[in-house]
């Protein structure tokens, strides 16, 4: 998928997964709230713990969206092998870096609020608001650069035109939640 599509996937996901390692080399996998701000995927946490200990270490941040589960019998009446999942996924690779600039920290935190509390109900977070100074300074705020961003959509691109047409027809017939969107995405990808 294009870079813009991968960014939109990150933008509409409720959470992402961060994979990295501890300084001792043990794997770490965490689900996080994250936003795009200043060319990075940004997250916050307490100033201690595994995410803080991973500062400077390589990480992968991923997001995925299941589009539709496709049963095997849609393609073959006996074999299980054709069962598959249609999906979209995106990943960002890079080191975890701490965000220290007060204005950048405030922008990222305000974007988190806008994303997860879109109705507002709070005073906007700014770096020069004394009411937020202690709270903003007390959080660990970090990110991974969007420089190495890639995305993939598995939407039946490897199937014959007849198989794609049959899949779209089956999705329409089934009519499960999301099947109309899945059919449209498959048609667009093919």
């Amino acid at each position: 998928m294009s870079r813009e599509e991968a960014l939109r996937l990150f933008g509409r996901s409720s959470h992402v997964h961060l994979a990295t390692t501890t300084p001792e080399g043990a794997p770490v996998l965490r689900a996080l709230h994250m936003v795009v701000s200043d060319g990075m995927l940004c997250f916050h946490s307490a100033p201690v713990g595994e995410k803080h200990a991973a500062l400077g270490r390589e990480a992968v941040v991923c997001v995925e969206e299941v589009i539709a589960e496709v049963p095997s019998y849609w393609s073959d009446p006996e074999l299980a092998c054709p069962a598959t999942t249609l999906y979209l996924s995106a990943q960002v690779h890079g080191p975890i870096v701490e965000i220290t600039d007060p204005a950048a920290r405030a922008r990222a935190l305000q974007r988190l609020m806008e994303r997860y509390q879109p109705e507002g109900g709070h005073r906007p977070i700014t770096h020069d608001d004394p009411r937020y100074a202690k709270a903003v300074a007390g959080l660990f705020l970090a990110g991974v650069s969007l420089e190495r961003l890639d995305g993939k959509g598995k939407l039946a691109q490897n199937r014959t035109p007849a198989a794609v047409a049959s899949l779209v027809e089956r999705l329409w017939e089934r009519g499960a939640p999301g099947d109309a969107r899945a059919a449209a995405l498959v048609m667009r990808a093919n």
Side-chain angles (χ1 to χ4, degrees):
M1 71 176 60
S2 71
R3 180 177 180 82
E4 292 74 27
E5 289 173 310
L7 278 171
R8 280 194 298 274
L9 182 59
F10 273 108
R12 70 176 175 264
S13 179
S14 65
H15 66 283
V16 298
H17 291 97
L18 169 75
T20 189
T21 57
T22 66
E24 297 77 32
V28 174
L29 179 64
R30 293 289 176 262
L32 301 171
H33 287 149
M34 195 172 272
V35 293
V36 174
S37 186
D38 295 326
M40 302 183 79
L41 286 177
C42 302
F43 65 92
H44 75 287
S45 71
V48 295
E50 289 177 319
K51 292 184 291 284
H52 188 269
L55 190 60
R57 303 187 71 75
E58 286 293 318
V60 179
V61 182
C62 72
V63 63
E64 62 280 330
E65 182 179 334
V66 173
I67 301 302
E69 302 289 347
V70 178
S72 63
Y73 54 82
W74 282 9
S75 300
D76 190 290
E78 296 178 4
L79 295 178
C81 303
T84 193
T85 301
L86 305 177
Y87 65 86
L88 302 173
S89 68
Q91 294 185 344
V92 172
H93 299 256
I96 298 173
V97 296
E98 186 169 10
I99 299 168
T100 57
D101 176 70
R105 291 171 62 81
R107 278 192 302 275
L109 291 168
Q110 179 57 31
R111 286 194 174 110
L112 280 161
M113 289 302 298
E114 290 166 0
R115 181 164 185 190
Y116 296 102
Q117 190 174 305
E119 71 276 11
H122 71 284
R123 183 176 190 88
I125 300 169
T126 61
H127 73 285
D128 55 356
D129 187 331
R131 289 170 288 192
Y132 285 121
K134 186 175 179 181
V136 170
L139 288 172
F140 172 61
L141 194 65
V144 178
S145 169
L146 291 169
E147 185 178 323
R148 293 172 31 211
L149 167 68
D150 62 74
K152 176 183 177 181
K154 181 182 176 197
L155 299 168
Q157 301 96 317
N158 61 335
R159 294 189 178 197
T160 65
V164 170
S166 176
L167 173 60
V168 168
E169 184 178 309
R170 294 285 194 143
L171 287 164
W172 278 110
E173 287 173 359
R174 181 171 68 183
D179 279 353
R181 177 174 178 252
L185 288 171
V186 168
M187 288 190 300
R188 190 179 83 197
N190 290 281

